[in-house]
Amino acid sequence: MKVIELKMTVTDSNDRDAQALRRELTERGIFLINLMSAPGSGKTTLLSRTITDLAGKVKIGVMEADIASDVDARRISELGAESIQVHTDGMCHMDAGMTRTGLENMENSGDRIVFLENVGNLICPAEFDTGAHKNVMILSVPEGDDKPLKYPLMFSKSDVLIITKSDAAPYFDFDFEAVESRVRKLNPSILIFPVSAKTGDGMEAWEDYILSEWEKRHA
Amino acid sequence: MKVIELKMTVTDSNDRDAQALRRELTERGIFLINLMSAPGSGKTTLLSRTITDLAGKVKIGVMEADIASDVDARRISELGAESIQVHTDGMCHMDAGMTRTGLENMENSGDRIVFLENVGNLICPAEFDTGAHKNVMILSVPEGDDKPLKYPLMFSKSDVLIITKSDAAPYFDFDFEAVESRVRKLNPSILIFPVSAKTGDGMEAWEDYILSEWEKRHA
């Protein structure tokens, strides 16, 4: 499993780079999904379960972005998926140039879904287009239902919201309806999937969504 | 309750500003505590309980820093503590100049403990000295025990680690001993308090620590 040290991209326009990267990936048959969340929301656990459930249906690669450590990439590579770890040189986000460098370091290059697990942070990653086809945000039940009020940009920029650790709802004071109404005020077309990667509840709807988006691109 | 819009401080040296601010606060009898954590770790809940428990023992003010919203400051002001909300203009941290501006907007200026509830983020706030006398980091049980591996700077810069939502430990796979050993490798002298603001477990040890630090400064 590779570990790549990145530097911030020096470029005029991240938005332009991101659009160019997205086009190239589409041509190469890569469907890039950018997963964003706070630290500890269960991104890697969700991803592990998703990879296991989708095994045999589609090829999957994973790029783990972190400030330090390779604990997440090691967890993913144990599942047999191709996995690389990128280190962001202290930066709290991935940009399009950094994502491109990471992708260039992956061995298998075409016809697959690649998940980019962005740096655990609800602020900076929302400000940089990575070139992904879909932005997916993860909010875990223990974080609380007030997060759309406090981090509005992240909720506005995401195509999908996954609410993880739904099995923990009985132990926390989390109002699913309040979250949905707060999120829809910011982003009326967002898709919302409540899931528990532990019990499997809700995972099928999320995985069906990924497969249908994948098939749209490979009809 | 005031809401202050901040801009990033333009200055050569945040470290120098922070040292100057810390000296001034000491002279004015203000004990400034910087609370840092990921979003949803339970900072505001911990703070609410701490304020309630310390009522009558010491005067307390609270500065809530966020990208947007004033939900936290409203929760605190309902407890009767002086509370202001500062907005960081999209930035994911507070620096010393921003902290100074916030403090200048608080009505009651001397002989008290002021809690700065920093922006919810495990990366950027660790990089900027705010001028606080103590840096306190909060990690909640649902976030997982691997966080010291992934965000080492935050654990290295903190004087105190509070592990919140300890009542949720039976529902999560959280190894307190593993966290302690990982944190002490980065920061041998850090104090660690496991607490549950919900049940009250462990709150007394944390509050005794604050009062003893307060008394040291007002002997």
Side-chain angles (χ1 to χ4, degrees):
Chain A
M1 195 209 61
K2 277 198 206 177
V3 178
I4 317 295
E5 306 293 333
L6 299 174
K7 297 284 174 190
M8 189 163 182
T9 318
V10 180
T11 172
D12 286 347
S13 164
N14 182 64
D15 283 350
R16 201 170 52 209
D17 293 352
Q19 282 163 27
L21 179 59
R22 193 156 32 241
R23 266 196 312 272
E24 288 172 39
L25 293 176
T26 304
E27 283 163 17
R28 286 166 54 198
I30 294 179
F31 176 32
L32 181 63
I33 302 176
N34 177 29
L35 297 176
M36 301 181 285
S37 80
S41 66
K43 277 200 295 305
T44 313
T45 303
L46 175 82
L47 200 47
S48 298
R49 174 115 196 190
T50 305
I51 290 169
T52 306
D53 292 349
L54 295 184
K57 295 180 183 164
V58 58
K59 289 182 199 154
I60 293 179
V62 175
M63 190 189 325
E64 294 287 344
D66 264 307
I67 301 284
S69 97
D70 60 358
V71 285
D72 290 342
R74 273 189 283 131
R75 275 175 69 188
I76 296 294
S77 67
E78 284 165 11
L79 302 173
E82 187 191 4
S83 160
I84 65 162
Q85 178 77 51
V86 299
H87 286 161
T88 59
D89 194 30
M91 279 171 292
C92 52
H93 68 276
M94 290 285 287
D95 64 22
M98 293 158 80
T99 304
R100 179 187 289 279
T101 305
L103 287 165
E104 285 166 358
N105 280 281
M106 296 185 81
E107 283 173 25
N108 299 303
S109 52
D111 277 321
R112 67 193 56 232
I113 298 176
V114 174
F115 290 99
L116 163 59
E117 193 180 324
N118 214 312
V119 183
N121 189 311
L122 287 188
I123 303 167
C124 328
E127 295 164 11
F128 291 86
D129 188 344
T130 58
H133 297 94
K134 292 288 178 190
N135 290 312
V136 175
M137 187 203 157
I138 295 164
L139 173 69
S140 64
V141 162
E143 289 170 63
D145 52 33
D146 61 348
K147 293 300 160 291
L149 304 173
K150 297 175 72 176
Y151 303 94
L153 187 65
M154 179 62 79
F155 289 86
S156 306
K157 293 276 178 137
S158 297
D159 303 292
V160 175
L161 168 63
I162 304 182
I163 304 178
T164 52
K165 308 189 190 178
S166 65
D167 57 288
Y171 315 114
F172 292 93
D173 190 21
F174 187 92
D175 184 337
F176 285 89
E177 286 177 21
V179 168
E180 182 164 346
S181 119
R182 286 165 187 163
V183 172
R184 293 221 183 277
K185 263 184 212 160
L186 297 164
N187 185 345
S189 66
I190 196 168
L191 294 173
I192 303 178
F193 298 107
V195 309
S196 165
K198 197 194 256 179
T199 66
D201 278 356
M203 288 297 295
E204 203 175 332
W206 151 243
E207 289 158 0
D208 284 350
Y209 163 78
I210 299 174
L211 286 177
S212 73
E213 288 294 322
W214 168 252
E215 282 156 15
K216 269 188 211 171
R217 288 165 172 77
H218 284 74
Chain B
M1 195 208 65
K2 277 197 206 177
V3 178
I4 317 295
E5 306 295 331
L6 300 174
K7 296 284 174 191
M8 190 164 181
T9 318
V10 180
T11 171
D12 286 348
S13 164
N14 182 65
D15 282 349
R16 200 172 50 209
D17 294 352
Q19 283 164 26
L21 179 59
R22 196 159 25 244
R23 266 196 310 272
E24 288 172 40
L25 293 176
T26 304
E27 283 164 16
R28 287 164 55 197
I30 293 180
F31 176 33
L32 181 63
I33 302 177
N34 177 28
L35 296 177
M36 301 179 287
S37 80
S41 67
K43 277 198 297 302
T44 313
T45 303
L46 176 82
L47 200 46
S48 297
R49 174 115 195 189
T50 305
I51 289 170
T52 306
D53 291 350
L54 295 184
K57 295 182 182 163
V58 57
K59 288 183 203 156
I60 294 179
V62 176
M63 189 186 329
E64 293 287 344
D66 264 306
I67 300 284
S69 97
D70 60 357
V71 286
D72 290 342
R74 274 189 283 131
R75 275 175 69 187
I76 296 295
S77 67
E78 283 164 11
L79 303 172
E82 187 189 6
S83 159
I84 65 162
Q85 178 76 52
V86 300
H87 286 163
T88 59
D89 193 30
M91 278 171 293
C92 52
H93 68 275
M94 290 285 288
D95 65 22
M98 293 158 80
T99 304
R100 178 187 290 278
T101 305
L103 288 166
E104 284 167 358
N105 280 280
M106 296 187 81
E107 283 172 27
N108 299 304
S109 53
D111 277 322
R112 66 193 56 231
I113 297 176
V114 174
F115 290 98
L116 163 59
E117 192 180 324
N118 214 312
V119 183
N121 189 310
L122 287 187
I123 303 168
C124 328
E127 296 166 9
F128 291 86
D129 187 343
T130 58
H133 296 95
K134 293 288 178 189
N135 290 313
V136 175
M137 188 204 156
I138 295 163
L139 173 69
S140 65
V141 162
E143 289 171 63
D145 52 34
D146 60 349
K147 293 300 160 292
L149 304 173
K150 298 176 71 176
Y151 303 95
L153 186 66
M154 179 61 78
F155 289 86
S156 305
K157 292 277 178 135
S158 297
D159 303 293
V160 174
L161 168 64
I162 305 182
I163 303 178
T164 52
K165 308 188 191 180
S166 66
D167 57 288
Y171 315 114
F172 293 93
D173 190 21
F174 187 93
D175 183 338
F176 285 89
E177 284 177 22
V179 168
E180 181 163 347
S181 119
R182 287 165 186 164
V183 172
R184 293 223 183 276
K185 261 184 212 163
L186 296 164
N187 185 345
S189 65
I190 196 168
L191 295 173
I192 302 178
F193 298 107
V195 310
S196 164
K198 197 193 257 181
T199 66
D201 278 357
M203 289 297 295
E204 202 175 333
W206 151 243
E207 289 159 359
D208 284 350
Y209 163 77
I210 298 175
L211 287 177
S212 74
E213 288 294 321
W214 168 253
E215 280 158 14
K216 269 189 209 170
R217 287 164 172 78
H218 284 74

